[in-house]
Amino acid sequence: IDWSRPVHALVMDFKGDSMQVGMLLERLELRGEQYVCIAAGNPSFNGGWHFTAVNDFEHLAEQRNLNDGWQNVRVWTRVGYVCSTLEDGTTPALVPRAAFDPAAKTVGAIAVTADRCFATLFFTGGLMPHTLNATAVADGGALGLVVARHLELNKTI
């Protein structure tokens, strides 16, 4: 990642909306934007690979009429970073997936700062809104700290 250029992040959940995730990734790719997928916690499930549900649209009637090309499509993404903290337990940080150790979550952590932050955080549908509101952000965990720092830095959600 070239942190001197904008980097966007998709907050991934086990199950997402294939049209939302797919169209968002397609647009980022077409614009030549840098993006990564981030996870709230341990990405060890399936080697960090997440997939969207097929035809499990958050807004079924509207989405079916929006773009038929996204019917029967499963989108696979791989987590690039895991939300964490520095050793102090309060400074929001990111750990590259390849370096993440669930037994030592702060090893390799990179602090979220004005020079190393995301231009935009994207949260998509499926189970994601419930997961974020009820568990990830509300519990004061690592994802919640990363989101809070993101907002403190006046970035976009």
Side-chain angles (χ1 to χ4, degrees), residues 19 23 57 59-69 71:
M19 180 180 274
M23 290 179 78
F57 302 133
H59 304 286
L60 184 62
E62 295 87 352
Q63 286 177 262
R64 283 205 169 145
N65 293 325
L66 180 63
N67 187 330
D68 286 340
Q71 298 290 317

Side-chain angles (χ1 to χ4, degrees), residues 7-13 16-38 52 57-58 63 66-67 70 73 75-77 119-125 128 156-157:
V7 179
H8 308 283
L10 285 77
V11 180
M12 301 310 296
D13 190 15
D17 181 313
S18 58
M19 180 180 274
Q20 290 178 5
V21 172
M23 290 179 78
L24 176 58
L25 292 173
E26 181 178 64
R27 288 189 174 119
L28 290 169
E29 287 283 336
L30 287 172
R31 293 176 43 99
E33 300 283 346
Q34 295 186 103
Y35 65 88
V36 296
C37 297
I38 62 173
T52 60
F57 302 133
E58 189 172 359
Q63 286 177 262
L66 180 63
N67 187 330
W70 287 101
V73 173
V75 179
W76 286 86
T77 56
T120 309
L121 287 178
F122 291 102
F123 302 101
T124 62
M128 183 53 85
T156 303
I157 292 185

Side-chain angles (χ1 to χ4, degrees), residues 7-153:
V7 179
H8 308 283
L10 285 77
V11 180
M12 301 310 296
D13 190 15
F14 172 71
K15 176 183 173 244
D17 181 313
S18 58
M19 180 180 274
Q20 290 178 5
V21 172
M23 290 179 78
L24 176 58
L25 292 173
E26 181 178 64
R27 288 189 174 119
L28 290 169
E29 287 283 336
L30 287 172
R31 293 176 43 99
E33 300 283 346
Q34 295 186 103
Y35 65 88
V36 296
C37 297
I38 62 173
N42 186 355
S44 64
F45 170 79
N46 210 24
W49 287 97
H50 290 221
F51 59 86
T52 60
V54 175
N55 298 337
D56 187 15
F57 302 133
E58 189 172 359
H59 304 286
L60 184 62
E62 295 87 352
Q63 286 177 262
R64 283 205 169 145
N65 293 325
L66 180 63
N67 187 330
D68 286 340
W70 287 101
Q71 298 290 317
N72 303 312
V73 173
R74 181 174 308 253
V75 179
W76 286 86
T77 56
R78 194 165 196 194
V79 168
Y81 288 89
V82 181
C83 295
S84 186
T85 64
L86 296 184
E87 288 185 14
D88 64 12
T90 61
T91 303
L94 301 164
V95 178
R97 176 192 38 79
F100 185 76
D101 178 354
K105 295 179 180 181
T106 62
V107 173
I110 303 163
V112 177
T113 66
D115 295 330
R116 289 198 180 223
C117 63
F118 299 114
T120 309
L121 287 178
F122 291 102
F123 302 101
T124 62
L127 296 177
M128 183 53 85
H130 168 75
T131 301
L132 288 174
N133 292 326
T135 58
V137 175
D139 69 1
L143 175 58
L145 293 172
V146 169
V147 171
R149 177 60 50 90
H150 185 82
L151 293 171
E152 290 167 3
L153 294 170

